[in-house]
Each structure stands twice: as C-alpha cells, then as structure tokens.
Amino acid sequence: TIPQCALVIRPWSSAVNHGSDQLCKENSSFYITTPIFYVNAAPHLGHLYSAVIADCLHRWKLLQGFDSRFATGTDEHGLKIQQAAEAASKAPLTFCTEVSERFRNLFSSCNISFTDYIRTTEQRHRRAVEHFWSVLWNKGLIYKGSYEGWYSTQDESFLTPSQVGDALDPSGKEVKVSLESGHKVEWMKEENYMFRLSVFRPFLLDWLVKNPGAVQPERFHQTVLHWLQEDLPDLSVSRQRSRLQWGIPVPGDPEQTIYVWLDALVNYLTVVGYPDKHDQWWPVAHHVIGKDILKFHALYWPAFLLGAGLPLPQVIHVHSHWTVGGRKMSKSLGNVVDPFEHSRMFTNDGMRYFLLRQGVPDSDCDYTHDKVVKLLNAELADSLGGLLNRCTAPALNPAQVYPAFCSQAFCRAVAEDHHMVAAVRSLPTVVEKHYESMHVYKALEAISACVRQTNGFVQRHAPWKLDRRYSKEQRWLDTIVHVALECLRIYGTLLQPVVPEISDRLLTRLGVKQHERSWKDLHFLQRYEGTKCPFEGRMLGSDSGLLFNRLESQKQKAKKSHKSGHLK
Ligand code: MSP
C-alpha cells in the first residue's frame, strides 16, 4: 500500500517548474552545478569537461546580468572510496582530502569560477542528508526490507538482471558485468532500507511529458522516457554498516549506512542552505551531468525530491564522453589524458576552447593531440588573433585609436560587407540560443564563421593599400578599421564564457573597460544606425603580444628534434 502522506503533502505538479529553460523574468537568480567528483582516482580530462561546460553557462549568466551561483566539489563516501583508501593504506578522510584538493587545484588553475566547493564529508552536508532522510522516512517513503540482486561497486549502482551480461576479465575468467558501463557486478543479499521508487513512476512520466526541456538534449529525454516504460523497482538506499563504514549512518539505526548516491545527490541542496532557507536558489537549479549518470539524476533524484516535497531541477543538461583512440579512458589501457599536463601544453583557454568547440552533447568525441593543435591554430591563432593583429598594428593604425566611422565612406561597401554586418548584428541572439541549450559548439561555430567574414572584409578592401594623404581614402581606411574593431569587440564579449583570458586580452587591447563587457554592451556598429559609438576616438589599450601563440603538431615537434639531433 502507498502511504497517504507520500504524495499529498505538496501537490507535486506545483513543485515542478513550467517552461523548463525559461527563467521567470522577475527572478534573476541562477544556480548551476557539476556532478561532484569521486575521489578514488586523480582528475582526468572528462572531469574537466563537465566543469568547463558548467563554468561556461555560469559565466554566460553573469554576463547577462543574472545573480549566478555555481557549485562543484567531491563525492567522498561509499564502498569505492573506502576500498581506494584501503588500497592506498591511508585513513579515508586523509585520502579524500588529498584527492579533493587535486580537483580543487585543477579547477582553480583552469579558471573554473565556482562559487561553492562542497565535500560530502563536511558537517553541513551530513546535517542536510540526515534531514532529507528523515523527511522521506516520516512520509513513509522509506521502509525496512531486504535487497537481493546485482551491485556494481565501480558505479555504486544496483542493477536488474536485464542490465547485466557475461564477460571475461583480463585474466580470462568469466564474470558478470553491467551492460551499460562494462564494470564488474557482484551478487549481494542484505537487509537494508528501501525507497518507494515504484510509486513515483507515473509522476516522473508526467513531469517529463509536461516539461519536454527538462532533460536535454532531446535524445536523453527520450532515453529516460524509455526507461520509464519498464518496471521501476523500489530502490535500496542503505548498506549494512559491516560492509560499508565510510558513509553517513542512517538516522536512528547505526547498523546501516546511507546509500552513497542518496548522500551525494543531496549535495545540490546542501550548497544552497538546505535544510534552512534555500528557496532563493533551489527552484532555479540546473545540473550538468555526463550521460553515464543520467539514471541517478533523471529518475532517482526527481523521485527523492518529489517525495521530499521540493521543486525539481529546471534542466538536466547531459553531455557525452571523450574517448581516446576511440576507446573509453582507462588506467589499464594507459590512455588517460591528464588535464593538468594538457592545459599547460595548450594553455587553459586553448583547452577550454577545444573541449567546447569539439565536444558535442549528443555523441562521444575522440581526443587527439593533433586535432587540438589544428583547431587552435586555425581559429584562435590565425583567424581571431590575426584579425586583431592586423587591425591594431601600428602600420595600419599609427595613432592607436578606435578610429571614426564615416557613413559616406561606407558607401563603398559591397553586398558581402552588408551580409557580414547583418550576421554580426544577429550574432548575440544566435549565440544566446546555443549557449542556453548547451550547444556551445554551435555558438563557437557561428562566431568563427563571423570572424572569417570579417577577415574577408578586411582582405577585400586591403586598407594597407589606401593612400592616407587623401582625406577620402583616410576616412575609408578608418571606417574599415572601425567596422573590424566593432566586430572584434562583439566576438571578444561573446567569447568570455569560453576563453576568459583571451577575451580579456582582446577587449583590453581594444580599450573596452570592464563594465563595458556585458549583454547590454552588445550593440554593434551604432554609428551605422546613426547613434553615437562610445568607443570611437578612444585610445586603444596596451599591446600585450599575440592573442594566441601558434602550436606545433606532434609531427613538427618530432621533425625539429630529429633535426637538432643531426646538428649535434
Ligand atoms: N560521483 C558521481 C557523481 C555524483 S553527482 C551527485 C560521479 N563521479 S565521477 O567522478 O565518476 O564523474 C563525474 C563526471 O565526470 C560525470 O559527469 C561523468 O560523466 C564525467 N566523466 C567521466 N568520464 C568522462 C569522459 N571520458 N568524458 C566526459 N565526461 C566524463 O559520477
């Protein structure tokens, strides 16, 4: 029987946000989270990717004038961490602190501008989890039962028989594995607490049907709907203390430890002050997650929240994975990409740009050194860097000013120039749409196409060939440079969420002040419309060198070291 109080304390439909990706106009708060990272191993490129996506959306919201909060942190309880600490012969908390610091350092050094860093071993989190548990318990949504079935420690996940298959381990022994992750599973049978997940099936279905943007991209929304066609058994939410000591004890039953996923998911609430006042931020939550943890975020988490009478997240943004050599990164394959090393090699912004320009949320992407070099050289060094260099070079711009626009001179513009102006004018709206739906690669594609058009415009009119001694020519030259600098100002402003350091250098070089770099400053080429341009006549900022230094491919590097070997 379904406990009465389970569903009626707060009508669930009013707890769900309508029009998932549209924030209420009067509410300028925004809350974005990354998954919290397991501390059983060092950070890798995939982890950085989750963080970079969330950082990009957070910076975008700030640029738009939102009061945005951005949480990340580490997931430190559970069997997997307990075993990793044992293997390292360290006390669990010491072990967790060390690895958690590595994540924090990585994020700080890669300009991940989190406002909150949560560790599940903190006291504030324990209090939140205990409270959350008690709410579910008091509503009769948790009962004492027994679980018998498959468990994957690597995924910290319970699996039904249909989710399990046969495989051979590296020594050739037959083992059972999760069909989804490929990780080994074990049969377990124990007394523990169960959550009435099955009760929530129709409510989850209704939520997804009424909120088609709740899980994005659409493909993953469909996946969740498909899961809901099948049986949704109750979920074990605790483990026997004898098996799992490293976790939060069940309130009132010290013989049981709370299941690590229930513990971990509550982190999103802890950050915003739960169980105390949390209503400014919780209703505007957006989660960024990898596709491997969709079930936990789109089935278990909403069910827990509905049970606790809390609003559901506005959007769950799902991304796909990075592979290396076409395969999942793994220590045993030796193909794990170290994000520290690669960010040093390609610069922070280089790494961020590559991940967001090449990463497609719908499908996996393969990471190769030469792909990074090729893309960054073409788009950041040559195209964008080249354009800035050309238009600010003393030879072309000896006075080092933001030159004047002359409408009469602009009559020399041809059809392609007008197309470019139209494209740049609509660029902010195009970019907004793609950033908001986390299709950052499409936003960058659009910016990159405009940069190419601006380069074409400058190339076509070759201002360096104009003779300054004739005032008509001088005015046309100034107009060309003015238009190009206006384009660069728009690109620099729109690129801030992706490449904050490069954008800062670019905008500083153009003389654009800090308070002139937001959504409200994206009016393009105001002089063309007959209004005043605040930048016209202003001195350019100091030249801090190339925007992005060209990188060498592995082939070029090898050739060089071969040559220098010969010379010796
Ligand atoms: N601790 C859980 C999350 C709990 S959230 C309440 C967890 N941690 S994790 O460290 O394994 O993964 C964190 C994130 O990294 C996930 O979003 C995951 O998808 C992402 N990635 C892990 N490997 C990845 C790639 N190879 N590529 C892209 N992202 C990947 O799951």
Side-chain angles (χ1 to χ4, degrees):
T1 55
I2 301 166
Q4 271 299 301
C5 51
L7 307 168
V8 292
I9 294 287
R10 184 168 168 180
W12 77 272
S13 55
S14 74
V16 176
N17 298 296
H18 300 285
S20 50
D21 58 352
Q22 280 302 310
L23 289 166
C24 314
K25 283 270 176 293
E26 62 279 10
N27 188 354
S28 67
S29 304
F30 185 79
Y31 174 41
I32 178 108
T33 67
T34 70
I36 47 170
F37 300 91
Y38 283 131
V39 289
N40 62 309
H44 64 56
L45 188 79
H47 301 137
L48 179 61
Y49 182 52
S50 283
V52 166
I53 293 179
D55 185 54
C56 176
L57 195 50
H58 168 64
R59 287 176 185 269
W60 172 250
K61 285 291 164 187
L62 290 176
L63 190 149
Q64 284 200 316
F66 279 73
D67 184 7
S68 180
R69 228 170 139 163
F70 168 24
T72 188
T74 43
D75 187 354
E76 306 188 5
H77 288 138
L79 203 54
K80 174 154 102 166
I81 311 298
Q82 181 175 304
Q83 290 172 356
E86 264 164 32
S89 310
K90 291 195 173 151
L93 188 59
T94 314
F95 176 79
C96 290
T97 304
E98 281 174 16
V99 185
S100 182
E101 279 307 295
R102 291 179 73 172
F103 275 97
R104 196 198 289 257
N105 291 340
L106 172 70
F107 296 155
S108 301
S109 78
C110 292
N111 281 328
I112 305 297
S113 53
F114 56 85
T115 58
D116 298 83
Y117 194 86
I118 169 103
R119 297 182 55 189
T120 52
T121 45
E122 288 175 61
Q123 185 52 35
R124 60 169 172 155
H125 179 64
R126 182 170 174 150
R127 193 173 147 246
V129 173
E130 285 173 348
H131 185 88
F132 194 81
W133 176 282
S134 308
V135 172
L136 298 180
W137 173 259
N138 290 336
K139 289 189 178 185
L141 291 169
I142 292 176
Y143 61 95
K144 191 112 191 228
S146 74
Y147 176 79
E148 185 168 0
W150 297 106
Y151 190 75
S152 158
T153 304
Q154 205 52 34
D155 304 327
E156 297 283 16
S157 176
F158 300 95
L159 301 156
T160 60
S162 65
Q163 295 168 321
V164 171
D166 295 308
L168 296 177
D169 77 1
S171 65
K173 206 175 105 198
E174 274 198 7
V175 286
K176 295 279 182 200
V177 294
S178 153
L179 288 174
E180 202 195 327
S181 69
H183 291 136
K184 214 174 121 198
V185 298
E186 282 155 331
W187 187 258
M188 71 170 243
K189 186 178 176 194
E190 60 179 56
E191 263 233 321
N192 48 33
Y193 289 94
M194 305 294 289
F195 172 71
R196 295 188 194 278
L197 183 62
S198 52
V199 165
F200 291 93
R201 191 160 149 234
F203 300 96
L204 293 173
L205 260 171
D206 202 29
W207 165 58
L208 289 167
V209 170
K210 287 192 176 136
N211 295 273
V215 179
Q216 296 179 22
E218 168 65 14
R219 183 191 147 187
F220 295 108
H221 192 89
Q222 291 305 328
T223 307
V224 184
L225 280 172
H226 180 77
W227 286 336
L228 284 169
Q229 302 307 317
E230 289 161 20
D231 212 24
L232 192 65
D234 285 352
L235 178 71
S236 164
V237 283
S238 73
R239 300 296 309 268
Q240 273 175 13
R241 196 87 191 151
S242 56
R243 301 252 171 90
L244 174 66
Q245 298 88 51
W246 187 236
I248 301 174
V250 166
D253 187 350
E255 287 313 305
Q256 295 273 330
T257 306
I258 296 179
Y259 173 42
V260 61
W261 268 102
L262 173 53
D263 169 342
L265 287 161
V266 173
N267 94 83
Y268 301 134
L269 284 169
T270 308
V271 166
V272 291
Y274 183 86
D276 305 326
K277 194 173 155 33
H278 53 274
D279 48 355
Q280 181 186 353
W281 301 99
W282 183 245
V284 290
H286 287 234
H287 300 313
V288 169
I289 60 160
K291 63 177 187 179
D292 54 322
I293 52 176
L294 182 58
K295 174 178 77 179
F296 305 96
H297 284 82
L299 292 180
Y300 300 173
W301 184 223
F304 293 153
L305 288 167
L306 288 173
L310 289 165
L312 301 192
Q314 287 209 321
V315 184
I316 300 173
H317 297 280
V318 190
H319 65 76
S320 294
H321 280 184
W322 285 95
T323 55
V324 177
R327 310 187 60 178
K328 210 169 160 176
M329 273 184 264
S330 89
K331 256 199 219 159
S332 54
L333 287 174
N335 64 350
V336 175
V337 177
D338 177 355
F340 285 101
E341 189 193 328
H342 284 240
S343 301
R344 261 196 305 271
M345 199 150 54
F346 301 125
T347 74
N348 286 333
D349 276 1
M351 200 69 251
R352 291 171 65 106
Y353 189 83
F354 178 78
L355 291 176
L356 294 172
R357 175 77 170 94
Q358 286 286 303
V360 184
D362 290 273
S363 49
D364 289 353
C365 272
D366 203 48
Y367 182 88
T368 70
H369 183 284
D370 283 355
K371 218 157 59 176
V372 183
V373 171
K374 219 166 145 186
L375 181 89
L376 299 183
N377 281 347
E379 295 193 356
L380 292 183
D382 297 347
S383 201
L384 186 66
L387 181 62
L388 178 70
N389 216 19
R390 265 174 160 183
C391 302
T392 54
L396 194 64
N397 190 342
Q400 291 290 285
V401 291
Y402 213 100
F405 177 88
C406 167
S407 345
Q408 257 175 341
F410 200 63
C411 290
R412 286 163 80 165
V414 297
E416 279 157 298
D417 304 335
H418 291 287
H419 289 154
M420 180 205 66
V421 169
V424 182
R425 197 177 295 293
S426 60
L427 190 62
T429 325
V430 171
V431 166
E432 178 184 35
K433 183 176 106 205
H434 296 319
Y435 275 154
E436 298 271 332
S437 64
M438 286 281 84
H439 283 93
V440 183
Y441 76 100
K442 286 192 187 167
L444 296 178
E445 209 167 71
I447 297 174
S448 182
C450 281
V451 176
R452 276 198 305 277
Q453 280 180 281
T454 311
N455 268 315
F457 163 73
V458 174
Q459 190 65 31
R460 199 159 39 246
H461 299 298
W464 47 88
K465 286 192 186 155
L466 297 173
D467 191 339
R468 284 175 211 285
R469 285 171 304 176
Y470 301 103
S471 65
K472 215 170 143 195
E473 296 292 274
Q474 172 77 55
R475 280 202 300 276
W476 175 222
L477 190 157
D478 284 351
T479 301
I480 296 168
V481 176
H482 178 100
V483 172
L485 295 190
E486 273 291 278
C487 291
L488 278 162
R489 186 176 63 80
I490 301 297
Y491 306 149
T493 306
L494 290 174
L495 282 169
Q496 290 174 101
V498 177
V499 281
E501 290 177 29
I502 288 180
S503 303
D504 179 44
R505 276 207 301 284
L506 189 157
L507 294 170
T508 303
R509 179 71 176 117
L510 297 184
V512 179
K513 302 199 181 88
Q514 289 293 339
H515 65 271
E516 297 168 330
R517 301 178 177 186
S518 66
W519 182 249
K520 65 171 182 12
D521 302 299
L522 282 164
H523 301 292
F524 170 63
L525 207 55
Q526 279 161 289
R527 293 279 278 104
Y528 184 59
E529 292 183 332
T531 44
K532 205 170 163 286
C533 166
F535 305 97
E536 193 173 278
R538 202 186 269 187
M539 286 306 289
L540 293 185
S542 58
D543 183 1
S544 57
L546 288 181
L547 202 58
F548 190 83
N549 287 307
R550 279 187 72 79
L551 299 157
E552 286 182 330
S553 69
Q554 280 180 321
K555 230 189 198 165
Q556 287 167 323
K557 267 193 189 162
K559 235 191 205 167
K560 248 193 187 168
S561 64
H562 183 71
K563 259 193 198 160
S564 69
H566 269 308
L567 286 177
K568 276 179 204 161

